[in-house]
Amino acid sequence: MAEETQTVNHIEVLLQQLLTPDNDVIKKATEALKGLSPDPAFLPTLCQVLTTSQNSQVRQYAAVLLRRKIVKQRQWSALPEEIRSGLKCNLFDVLAKEDQSPVRNSLAQLIGTVAHHCDDITSEWPQLFEFLNKYVKSENSLERQVAMSVLKTVSAEASEQLQPLLKDILDLCAQTLYDGNLIVPYYTILVMNNLVFEVSSVEMKQFAALIPRILEVIKALALHDEEETCAAMDLFDSLVKCEVPVLHPHVKTVVDFCLNLAATEEIDNSARVKALEVLSCLVTLKKKAIQKLNMVQPILDVVFSLMCKCDEEEEDLEDSEETEKAASYAARIMDSLALNLPPEKIVTQVMRYSAQAIHSQQPSERKAGYVALGIIAEGCSDHITSKYLEQFLQEIIKGFDDVHPGVRNGAMFALGQFSEHLQPGITKYANELIPFLVNYAVKMKESANPSLSTLTRTYYALEAYVENLEKDVFPFLPELMTHLLSLLDTAETTELALKLKEFSFSCIASIACAAKTNLNPYFPQIMEYFKMYLFGIETEEMQEIQLQALETLSSMAREMDEETFTEEVANICVSLSLALIAQFNDPDVRRCVYSLLSSLATLKTTNMVSQLQPIVNYMLESLKSTEGVKVHYTAEDNPALAHFELDDTAEEDDDEDFAGISIENAYLDEKEDACTALSDIALQYYENFMPYIEECYQETMKLGEYGSSDVTKSSLKALANFTIAVYDYNKKMADTVSDTALKAMLGELVPKFIEQVRTERDRSLAMTALYCLQEMLDSIGEDVLKVSDDCFTTIVSTIKAVLCGKTACQDEDEEDEDEEQAEYDTFLLEYAAGTLPLLAKIVGSEIFTPYLAQFMPHLVKKCKPSCTSTEKSYGVGTIAECLDMMGGDSGVPYAAQLTPIFLRCMKDPDDELRNNSVYALGVLVTTSNGALAPKYGQILQTFDEMIKSEKYPRARDNICASTSRILSAGHAQLPVQQVYSLLLDLLPITQDLGEYETVCKCFADCMYTHYKPMVAETMPQLLVIITEALKTDKLSTATSDKLALMIKDLKDTEPERFQTAMSAVPTDSPIWSLFPAGL
């Protein structure tokens, strides 16, 4: 007995030593405890310390160590039965006597762990519910509080084990929610949150009936404790995501509650922000209920009111981090409404708020008016572009004359958002906007007190605007480049001057994306600035410029031709990249270097083979790295025990206290870019990349653990690209190893992508999974469908589920396919429909015909006049592409139904819809086996009328291609001379260069075969057109060969005409290579 007491005293002394501030003492005590830990008597001794020690911190440490000794199932199962039974029996006696809250909390955690190890809590540990039932009915409020604290912990640790008892627990919660001690109802809400995902349809109504009382409790909590308020409101986050629609009857009540809480200025800010977070979740996942309950206007009323109170300091509107103020968080709600609700429900109302605010006497309200217009631009882009663009732009431009700088910043924010999200519609205002932005930037820079925030927004708007201008940027290159290069030319090192250099490089990157090789004349001068800012940079102030210079160099590498971005330049860039990684241990540097290497890989002048190993190793290190990673645990730990691990748990990986990880943004960005770069390099260097492919694939597969949407999207795309690289290698080498690897990768990824489309709640991730599936179908083909016997039908059913709104990221509370949809929902449908033509191409017309018949009603429905232009465009385009891929007579069953639809859509004001409709009509004629012969004249007449006013280049190109299709299919019923002349007048193709294949097939297969004299007469014009077609590298080998035979035959049969015609053919024409000996 004396020896036992000595051991108890010894352990208590060691635990007391952990409380000292002396690290050496703590270290020795820790080692001593680790040495005692394997002894079977250690656990019972800890129990005695827990019972007998007079020091509350020692008792708490004993409880924590006890829990660590049994936290894993194998540890618990290894204990003798008498110790397990004794622990179960004594824990509640110890808890009943404990008067210190920290010790009670640790005991509750210990009780929760024991409960977790019980398969049937009722039979294995009846004392638990005896204790709860007794204490929850106690007259002593502290005892009731302790009871619910224990149930809170048990429900967190053993929710599955409590499911059979859920009805009884909810009955208990119905009582404790009304307890006069507010902590008891608070704990009750936490218990319910822990059990949300155990609720079935049986308990749904019982749970839902408690929500009104829960809201009353949270309202009371909000008056005195912000942390408890936020924790209690987590329940609604869980309920929104729960598959069982517990919240559905109370959506309006909860929305009203959140709006009232957010609008109450007397309540702490964090609680108001939490209310807005719940509201954002409801808008995203319960959008149909929000609309049906007419909650859009009440939400906008509160949201806009909050935005009008946004402080001047809260200016990072477009990309705010952890937003601290409810007023600035409100902008996110408006963004969420625009992204998730039909634009018709949002734009008109926001216009009303904005118009009133812009004319207010208060600067914060005027600013909010402009900011609101900018915020809805992304989610309502098509709607604004087609109906309100010019009107909104005029209002925004007026904002730049406001006397208040905050208002001007709000207007510039709006213009930047429009520039980024309203492409290509906004490009037609280039003549006004580009000079305005450049002049405004110069004016702000040269003002007495230049505002960095204003200049930031100005250059953001300029950068976003020029990026998508394509050839329309050409006339502005001198003005833009003169201004931007002047910013780099200054020797000033003030904060403003350095920031302007960063802006300059960023804008040049955007210009490179638009101008492409037309930027070549400026390349030598830009390279001099690269040398200035990329080499020898040591100061922290200059590093931001260096990073942006790297990103700009990356953009230019993707867009410049090989004559400009020479092998020497490319190799210098590779060497620079490796040197920078070696020099700077910085995630931002590595991220920018990886982006540059990714771009360099696409250049033919780059040869990375000799440097492939260090490049891949660096990128793999970034994927594996745990820098910036913080691990979170569910259990509470005293700081003194942070480094303390018992010897039998230290080697375990599956820590049951693990709650997740977080990682700093810079390291997430690094992983994202490493992922992208590895896959780009794998595609370009697949032969040399094979030794690294397995490790890259496995490490990329793990990236989903970080919980970052952007990293997950990047990893999904990389996995698809790795698989395509292996396919390309196997296609060339045809070895067993790569064939086995390909089958294994496809066998894992195809089901993964399909499952992601069906079950992923994040719409952007579901779209990425669809994109990856399409990439593999397009690049790999039928091998994708060989993954399983039912792979094809599974993909088809998944696409059907998306089109019918039955996947996890779509709101299924109400089913009505005819309802208006958010524009981003339409993008998801468009992604899904884009898979159908690929499937048609792979399986062929015979197999796909019945499936097209299933999808046709949905696609035709999307072509109704009441649908948006985007919906009509994807409906028409998908039908056309499916028929094109199927070929033959696939259009015959639909010819009569589709012809009037396509003719109507050809008159739509939307450029892309007109383009798709012209293409669709040409394909329909080709696949209708003469069924449309009576309509040929009407169709060609429509083309003729359309071309007179058509300004969209791609639509003009498709009129040309569709005329070729009709001529090829129906020449016997047409005035060929007239149609052929029309065709020649429509040439050359200017943008949709792939349609040269259609035109040239018409020349070779139709015109030359049946109407050779007509072809001979137009030989000079024809040879010039063929020259342009051959230069594009868009012709198939078969068509190129037919053209070669046609040209040689024309030379032999019409030598004089041919000789004359060739005199007008440029000397660099590929036609001359057909006659190496001369004419």
Side-chain angles (χ1 to χ4, degrees), residues 430-442 459 462 466 472-487 504 507-508 511 519 522:
N431 288 332
E432 295 82 20
L433 290 180
I434 289 182
F436 169 79
L437 287 168
V438 172
N439 292 333
Y440 191 79
V442 173
Y459 283 103
L462 181 61
V466 300
D472 292 332
V473 80
F474 299 167
F476 304 101
L477 285 178
E479 179 183 7
L480 287 167
M481 295 307 298
T482 299
H483 171 67
L484 295 171
L485 294 175
S486 71
L487 299 178
S504 175
C507 285
I508 290 172
I511 292 171
L519 198 61
Y522 300 94

Side-chain angles (χ1 to χ4, degrees), residues 776-777 780-787 842:
M776 294 201 305
L777 286 167
I780 299 174
E782 62 180 349
D783 284 351
V784 175
L785 303 182
K786 292 179 181 177
V787 165
I842 293 171

Side-chain angles (χ1 to χ4, degrees), residues 585 587 590 594 618-629 661 663 667-668 670-671 699 703 706:
N585 181 22
R590 291 192 292 268
Y594 296 159
Y618 277 127
M619 293 178 184
L620 277 171
E621 285 176 20
S622 293
L623 297 188
K624 297 175 183 178
S625 172
T626 57
E627 280 189 279
V629 175
I661 60 173
I663 181 168
Y667 294 97
L668 285 173
E670 176 191 352
K671 291 179 185 297
E699 291 300 327
L703 292 180
Y706 289 99

Side-chain angles (χ1 to χ4, degrees), residues 748-1041:
E748 184 173 24
L749 289 182
V750 174
K752 177 183 176 71
F753 293 151
I754 293 172
E755 181 68 12
Q756 194 122 25
V757 173
R758 285 184 173 274
T759 62
E760 177 57 60
R761 298 190 76 98
D762 183 327
R763 180 173 48 195
S764 66
L765 286 178
M767 289 167 67
T768 301
L770 278 167
Y771 168 83
C772 292
L773 192 59
Q774 290 174 13
E775 286 292 292
M776 294 201 305
L777 286 167
D778 190 34
S779 300
I780 299 174
E782 62 180 349
D783 284 351
V784 175
L785 303 182
K786 292 179 181 177
V787 165
S788 63
D789 292 340
D790 62 347
C791 183
F792 169 69
T793 54
T794 302
I795 293 175
V796 168
S797 65
T798 300
I799 302 306
K800 189 172 183 180
V802 175
L803 297 181
C804 293
K806 295 185 179 296
T807 63
C809 69
Q810 296 167 296
D811 189 347
E812 292 188 71
D813 284 350
E814 309 286 344
E815 294 186 17
D816 188 349
E817 198 179 339
D818 288 330
E819 281 191 351
E820 296 169 331
Q821 291 180 309
E823 288 183 4
Y824 264 57
D825 286 333
T826 303
F827 295 158
L828 175 67
L829 302 182
E830 190 174 353
Y831 263 64
T835 311
L836 299 177
L838 296 171
L839 292 172
K841 179 181 178 181
I842 293 171
V843 303
S845 179
E846 184 177 348
I847 293 176
F848 197 74
T849 293
Y851 293 98
L852 179 61
Q854 292 178 26
F855 286 106
M856 190 61 78
H858 169 84
L859 297 172
V860 168
K861 189 179 292 185
K862 291 300 174 184
C863 301
K864 293 190 300 185
S866 59
C867 290
T868 66
S869 295
T870 302
E871 290 175 308
K872 287 183 281 192
S873 187
Y874 97 71
V876 169
T878 303
I879 292 170
E881 288 179 5
C882 286
L883 294 176
D884 202 2
M885 293 300 176
M886 294 166 69
D889 298 339
S890 56
V892 172
Y894 312 107
Q897 178 187 16
L898 295 177
T899 301
I901 293 174
F902 296 161
L903 286 169
R904 169 173 48 80
C905 290
M906 281 168 55
K907 299 175 183 177
D908 195 273
D910 183 77
D911 291 344
E912 199 57 40
L913 176 55
R914 291 196 310 277
N915 175 56
N916 285 353
S917 301
V918 172
Y919 161 65
L921 203 50
V923 170
L924 188 62
V925 168
T926 304
T927 57
S928 293
N929 193 24
L932 290 179
K935 298 277 188 181
Y936 290 165
Q938 178 189 353
I939 294 170
L940 289 169
Q941 180 63 35
T942 305
F943 286 167
D944 188 49
E945 292 172 0
M946 183 177 176
I947 202 67
K948 293 174 184 176
S949 59
E950 184 57 64
K951 293 182 173 58
Y952 185 48
R954 295 182 70 87
R956 294 179 67 90
D957 291 342
N958 264 298
I959 291 173
C960 178
S962 288
T963 301
S964 300
R965 288 186 170 94
I966 294 172
L967 186 55
S968 296
H971 59 90
Q973 293 88 23
L974 290 170
V976 175
Q977 179 72 60
Q978 183 181 345
V979 178
Y980 180 56
S981 297
L982 171 64
L983 175 59
L984 293 178
D985 289 342
L986 292 170
L987 290 161
I989 301 289
T990 59
Q991 280 198 8
D992 197 354
L993 300 179
E995 290 298 355
Y996 265 126
E997 171 77 8
T998 305
V999 173
C1000 289
K1001 283 175 71 174
C1002 176
F1003 289 158
D1005 293 342
C1006 173
M1007 293 304 301
Y1008 194 67
T1009 301
H1010 301 288
Y1011 308 97
K1012 183 175 177 180
M1014 220 178 282
V1015 172
E1017 287 176 10
T1018 57
M1019 206 184 304
Q1021 186 178 359
L1022 191 65
L1023 292 180
V1024 172
I1025 292 167
I1026 291 174
T1027 293
E1028 294 302 313
L1030 291 170
K1031 284 182 179 179
T1032 65
D1033 293 328
K1034 297 292 184 181
L1035 299 184
S1036 66
T1037 303
T1039 300
S1040 296
D1041 290 345

Side-chain angles (χ1 to χ4, degrees), residues 708-762:
S708 162
S709 176
D710 289 337
V711 173
T712 301
K713 284 186 278 190
S714 181
S715 68
L716 292 176
K717 292 176 183 177
L719 291 168
N721 284 342
F722 289 146
T723 309
I724 293 168
V726 172
Y727 169 78
D728 290 340
Y729 179 85
N730 180 253
K731 186 177 179 182
K732 184 173 183 178
M733 301 301 182
D735 62 30
T736 306
V737 175
S738 61
D739 186 61
T740 302
L742 177 63
K743 290 176 181 176
M745 294 165 84
L746 288 172
E748 184 173 24
L749 289 182
V750 174
K752 177 183 176 71
F753 293 151
I754 293 172
E755 181 68 12
Q756 194 122 25
V757 173
R758 285 184 173 274
T759 62
E760 177 57 60
R761 298 190 76 98
D762 183 327

Side-chain angles (χ1 to χ4, degrees), residues 18 25-35 640 643-645:
L18 294 178
V25 173
I26 292 174
K27 184 176 180 180
K28 288 178 182 178
T30 299
E31 293 302 319
L33 284 167
K34 286 185 177 181
H643 62 286
F644 186 86
E645 290 288 352

Side-chain angles (χ1 to χ4, degrees), residues 372-504:
L373 294 179
I375 285 171
I376 64 173
E378 182 180 7
C380 305
S381 57
D382 286 349
H383 191 72
I384 293 173
T385 302
S386 63
K387 295 189 176 183
Y388 302 108
L389 180 53
E390 186 167 356
Q391 177 185 342
F392 284 5
L393 279 176
Q394 288 174 354
E395 286 293 340
I396 290 169
I397 296 299
K398 291 177 186 175
F400 297 117
D401 294 326
D402 197 286
V403 295
H404 196 280
V407 179
R408 296 197 298 270
N409 282 352
M412 189 58 77
F413 167 77
L415 184 56
Q417 291 291 97
F418 277 34
S419 298
E420 181 174 358
H421 300 297
L422 303 189
Q423 301 282 358
I426 199 171
T427 58
K428 63 185 177 184
Y429 299 97
N431 288 332
E432 295 82 20
L433 290 180
I434 289 182
F436 169 79
L437 287 168
V438 172
N439 292 333
Y440 191 79
V442 173
K443 177 183 174 183
M444 290 296 104
K445 172 178 173 287
E446 296 176 352
S447 62
N449 295 299
S451 166
L452 184 56
S453 62
T454 299
L455 285 165
T456 299
R457 283 174 173 74
T458 305
Y459 283 103
Y460 155 65
L462 181 61
E463 176 184 337
Y465 191 80
V466 300
E467 186 168 4
N468 295 291
L469 279 180
E470 297 182 349
K471 69 176 185 177
D472 292 332
V473 80
F474 299 167
F476 304 101
L477 285 178
E479 179 183 7
L480 287 167
M481 295 307 298
T482 299
H483 171 67
L484 295 171
L485 294 175
S486 71
L487 299 178
L488 296 175
D489 206 33
T490 176
E492 290 183 54
T493 56
T494 63
E495 180 187 5
L496 179 63
L498 294 177
K499 206 68 183 172
L500 288 172
K501 293 176 192 289
E502 187 182 334
F503 295 154
S504 175

